[in-house]
Amino acid sequence: MSGQLFPQDPTPRRLALGPQACVLGGFALPHLGGVMPALQAVLDAAPLRHLVTPGGFTMSVAMSNCGALGWTSDRRGYRYTRDDPDSGRPWPDMPAAFERLATAAAAEAGFDGFVPDACLINRYAPGARLSLHQDRDERDFDAPIVSVSLGLPATFLFGGLARADKAARVPLAHGDVVVWGGVDRLRHHGVLPLKDGEHPQLGAQRINFTFRKAG
Ligand code: MD3
Ligand code: FE
């Protein structure tokens, strides 16, 4: 016998992507009652915006942040800041429901005691994509990164330490959480252009949170 019995099944509960990277299928679902209202409050205080890269390109993904530090980009470079450059005010506090989700997912993946100080919020409309890159603006690479996918499904690209390494394609669905650390922390990754669709709760978009220890 070969193949899955139900090839359309959602992501399985746990899928290893590397020695220290795994998908926790549906892990965020029990947290969403607390997470979704908190997300709305964060985005009311710090609206999503399209950042410009140092090379002068406007990103197709819209971004915001919560937590003590927020990731931002402009013509001068990429960096973490304490204040939202659009409002001049500190980024909204990390909601307790966000931190609980991130800490629980990290522990489930073998990273005990993960306390994020930054949460980057990415919003993909149909067609939006994220080209292959590494996350290396954080101060220490020992802490893992926890990523939460909500809304429309996406195809995640998981490459190697060199940009030219062949990337695996990983489908990510609403509620899936991915945890990356240790030897997998500096692997290249990206997201293929989002396909059009309508999600029952989130409509025509995908939201992704990446929790980091940035400072
Ligand atoms: C693998 N976001 O914001 S999260 C990003 O779906 C980013 O919005 C993607 O890449 C998204 O930087 C993917 C998954 C992710 C985050 C960090 C990683 C994967 C990673 C760090 C190392 C290896
Ligand atoms: Fe990234």
Side-chain angles (χ1 to χ4, degrees):
M1 284 249 281
S2 71
Q4 290 173 263
L5 188 53
F6 300 108
Q8 305 303 348
D9 267 3
T11 315
R13 214 179 73 79
R14 182 191 287 264
L15 170 71
L17 298 181
Q20 292 180 280
C22 73
V23 183
L24 304 172
F27 187 89
L29 295 175
H31 292 260
L32 295 188
V35 164
M36 295 310 295
L39 171 62
Q40 191 54 249
V42 166
L43 296 182
D44 287 346
L48 292 160
R49 79 290 306 262
H50 293 273
L51 300 173
V52 174
T53 65
F57 296 98
T58 300
M59 298 180 76
S60 59
V61 178
M63 298 181 170
S64 187
N65 293 276
C66 60
L69 292 169
W71 187 87
T72 189
S73 174
D74 60 21
R75 290 306 300 249
R76 285 145 54 214
Y78 307 124
R79 64 197 163 278
Y80 282 95
T81 62
R82 302 225 154 245
D83 295 338
D84 176 349
D86 280 10
S87 68
R89 286 180 274 115
W91 293 107
D93 288 339
M94 176 99 58
F98 279 38
E99 186 179 314
R100 276 195 298 271
L101 167 55
T103 299
E108 179 71 21
F111 297 93
D112 279 316
F114 175 57
V115 181
D117 59 11
C119 175
L120 173 63
I121 300 164
N122 292 149
R123 198 264 328 267
Y124 297 73
R129 63 192 288 270
L130 198 61
S131 54
L132 222 51
H133 67 278
Q134 291 173 297
D135 288 16
R136 41 185 332 140
D137 300 324
E138 298 73 28
R139 186 186 296 272
D140 93 84
F141 298 144
D142 291 343
I145 291 182
V146 172
S147 137
V148 177
S149 292
L150 301 173
L152 288 177
T155 302
F156 180 72
L157 296 172
F158 194 46
L161 293 179
R163 199 173 191 283
D165 291 345
K166 194 173 161 48
R169 293 176 175 221
V170 182
L172 291 179
H174 179 67
D176 289 350
V177 177
V178 195
V179 182
W180 338 73
V183 299
D184 292 313
R185 175 65 179 75
L186 288 175
R187 287 173 69 160
H188 286 75
H189 57 277
V191 179
L192 289 183
L194 194 76
K195 286 198 198 147
D196 211 344
E198 190 70 21
H199 185 270
Q201 279 93 52
L202 281 112
Q205 60 177 341
R206 169 177 187 258
I207 301 272
N208 177 268
F209 303 147
T210 51
F211 293 98
R212 305 126 187 276
K213 199 169 135 30

